[in-house]
Amino acid sequence: MNVYEPRNIRNVVLVGHSGGGKTTLTEALLFTAGAITRMGKVEDGNTVSDHDAEEIRRGISVSLSLAPIEWNGIKVNVLDAPGYADFIGDVTGALRAADACLFVVSAVDGVEVQHEVVWELAAERGLPRAIFVNKIDRERASFERTLDELVTAFGTQVAPIQLPIGEEHDFAGIMDLVDRRAYRYTSSPTGEEGEWPEDLAAKADPYRERLAESVALADDSLLEKYLEEGELSHEEIVRGIKAGLTEAKFAPVLVGAAGKPAGADLLLSFIAEAFPSPLDRPPVKVVAKDGAEQERPSDPNAPLTALVFKTVSDPYVGRITLFRVYSGKVRPDSTVFNATKNTEERVGQVFTLRGKDHETVAEVPAGDIGAVAKLAHTTTGDTLSLKTDPVTLPPIDLPEPLLAMAISPKTKGDEDKLSTALARIQEDDPTVRVERSGETHETVMYGMGEAHVGAMVERMKRKFGVDVTVKPAKVPYKETMKGKTQAMGRHVKQTGGHGQYAIAHIEVEPLPRGSGFEFVDKIVGGVIPNQFIPSVEKGVVKSKTEGVVTPYPMVDVRVTLYDGKFHPVDSSDIAFQLAGALALREAAAKAGVSLLEPIVHVEIVVPESYTGEIIGDLNSKRGRILGTESIGGGKQRIKAVVPQAEMIRYAIDLRSMTGGRGLFTMAFDHYEEVPQHLADKVIEAARKEREET
Ligand SMILES: Nc1nc2c(ncn2[C@@H]2O[C@H](COP(=O)(O)OP(=O)(O)OP(=O)(O)O)[C@@H](O)[C@H]2O)c(=O)[nH]1
Ligand SMILES: [Mg+2]
């Protein structure tokens, strides 16, 4: 593939709700431009983007794909992002690599949740937005209804530049409002120019006028001409649309049927003509080594600045790193400096990807997107620059994964394979977090939702050959003493031969929450010899760690050893350990224990209309609401403390309550006593599980 100058590059990410047709549209664009000779179908598992076994099996995109397309001397880097909410991590990465978003909206389903969610992300970043109304050939498709929904959701900046000729089965072509031209589609992906349909003119003309008006309003010089002459030329309208789109003040709406395909040709020409090039976008801001902020121009001759927005690991191919160059260039057989990791990386071949296919390129200049293989240290989110001029870009803003699942290898002995797989998966996908819990002794993988965790499990199996079991992560319960008491542990066996003799008296008292565990030695007069005092402590610690009454560790207690007895011959380390453990058990039996559970602090952000339902649900989860506040944009922030046990599946619950419009964060806060009736159930369940294993 040729090397393109920044002004001839368009980086466009396709975003939107799952099933809108992004992958099909990518296929249509590739086919229309002649980059592929046959159009694949998502259903048939033979599209360029959805090449992963997991994507073919599910029929949805799981991972971001790149598809470079050459059209009229312009290189369009299409990024096909997954629409399913669990894979939003890839979308946030792609928003950084792209210079504009194309929202793919189904004319049957209209505006859906992920459109709103991603629109907000793009708006926060000031990213230009255009819309493609797809599936206009489908039964129950309606352009007008979809347009109304778009205007309601995103405001009057949304304006069509095309209208369909017919809908559903009658869909025949597209009217281009800019030039008052009509294109009809039969068997070719390229429309045939024909008569302006006079029967639809009455509908189309008001839209044309509105378009000219909004374009004129965006540019004073155009406004003057429009008022004088009542008409604008093609170049003037396109200039106005481009300015409005680039400044994110105007969202043009196009239409088509990716599946046919129809409209992909007009879309490509529009992208080439009116979408911003890297030069039209503000220069990126970087932080130099001395902490100073700098701007980097979109210039191939400036020092290198590139962002790694996606990595894919494969045990056979190695790791593939996808990056967007903002300034400078990446050349084959060179050295780059990873300023995030503070290390040099050797670059071998430089290539572009079309789905899974590699195509080598001479270089990747400013404004372009490229890939390299087998970098040793670089992971998603890193900045590549030069050692002589190291700079970092802001990190990719990612959501926190909060669905906690415990995973373990199905086959004993696969532990090493599992940890290799987990390390790789985490490096590739920053929305996966893995922790080894010192408390529950589980390996816990945090993901964005069930589909995300499921996809990771599949990946581990297929790519890393390790089959894993997935269970909800355990809650790290604890136990504590209910009151203060004294107890004796007596381990005495003196029947023939070498005997065993140890007696320990302890006092046990509860401490405030969060104090942990204390052992105090108050032995006087050598009633227990010095060398055996650590033995008693060891026995007590072992017992409290395993759980004295419940299967959970004991916390927030002070154990004071104040008396005891020994025998000059029969006492031993092990005898005093046993005495210590027995004493603690005796004390627990006398004073009683209570079960403690972790309480998490949660903050939930939802559209105002959901506040009541969210609070009701938190109450039913034994939560305590700390407060609510309006945070603008029609959103409420709700703060609460809730038992962790009730929040295990909240990533799923919140999504189903709000249709995916809610966000939340969660962090450990403190431990509290579990109500007795629930404590009995928890202990019973834990005992059963212990017996089974
Ligand atoms: N009739 C018709 N069907 C279409 C059209 N575009 C896509 N489809 C079908 O809609 C379904 C979903 O299309 P995809 O391309 O997988 O949608 P997507 O937006 O990539 O979905 P995710 O990857 O899950 O985000 C598939 O069955 C397509 O064949 C169209 O223009 N007309
Ligand atoms: Mg897709």
Side-chain angles (χ1 to χ4, degrees), residues 531-585:
Q531 83 252 36
F532 293 135
I533 289 169
S535 309
V536 177
E537 180 173 1
K538 212 169 158 189
V540 167
V541 167
K542 187 162 185 288
S543 169
K544 72 104 190 164
T545 308
E546 285 170 358
V548 184
V549 175
T550 72
Y552 300 107
M554 180 172 272
V555 292
D556 302 343
V557 287
R558 178 185 293 135
V559 172
T560 307
L561 177 64
Y562 67 92
D563 199 1
K565 271 191 194 143
F566 80 107
H567 183 277
V569 178
D570 291 345
S571 282
S572 66
D573 168 48
I574 195 75
F576 271 104
Q577 283 194 40
L578 287 165
L582 286 169
L584 188 64
R585 198 178 303 160

Side-chain angles (χ1 to χ4, degrees), residues 18-19 21-24 26 42 49-50 55 59-63 80-83:
S18 183
K22 296 174 291 299
T23 299
T24 309
T26 305
V42 173
S49 313
D50 288 359
E55 300 181 309
I60 62 165
S61 304
V62 164
S63 183
D80 176 15

Side-chain angles (χ1 to χ4, degrees), residues 492-634:
V492 177
K493 280 199 180 124
Q494 288 179 303
T495 45
H498 204 309
Q500 298 179 42
Y501 191 99
I503 294 175
H505 290 265
I506 58 171
E507 181 173 88
V508 180
E509 60 195 304
L511 295 175
R513 278 301 85 78
S515 311
F517 173 79
E518 283 176 28
F519 183 84
V520 182
D521 165 25
K522 279 209 180 146
I523 292 295
V524 283
V527 291
I528 298 179
N530 271 344
Q531 83 252 36
F532 293 135
I533 289 169
S535 309
V536 177
E537 180 173 1
K538 212 169 158 189
V540 167
V541 167
K542 187 162 185 288
S543 169
K544 72 104 190 164
T545 308
E546 285 170 358
V548 184
V549 175
T550 72
Y552 300 107
M554 180 172 272
V555 292
D556 302 343
V557 287
R558 178 185 293 135
V559 172
T560 307
L561 177 64
Y562 67 92
D563 199 1
K565 271 191 194 143
F566 80 107
H567 183 277
V569 178
D570 291 345
S571 282
S572 66
D573 168 48
I574 195 75
F576 271 104
Q577 283 194 40
L578 287 165
L582 286 169
L584 188 64
R585 198 178 303 160
E586 172 71 16
K590 276 174 136 177
V593 299
S594 47
L595 191 68
L596 300 177
E597 63 179 339
I599 307 291
V600 291
H601 181 271
V602 290
E603 284 195 28
I604 304 158
V605 173
V606 289
E608 240 138 43
S609 56
Y610 294 101
T611 312
E613 191 182 345
I614 296 295
I615 289 177
D617 177 68
L618 289 173
N619 285 331
S620 77
K621 287 182 155 67
R622 301 188 284 131
R624 197 167 74 242
I625 309 296
L626 302 175
T628 62
E629 56 177 333
S630 293
I631 53 166

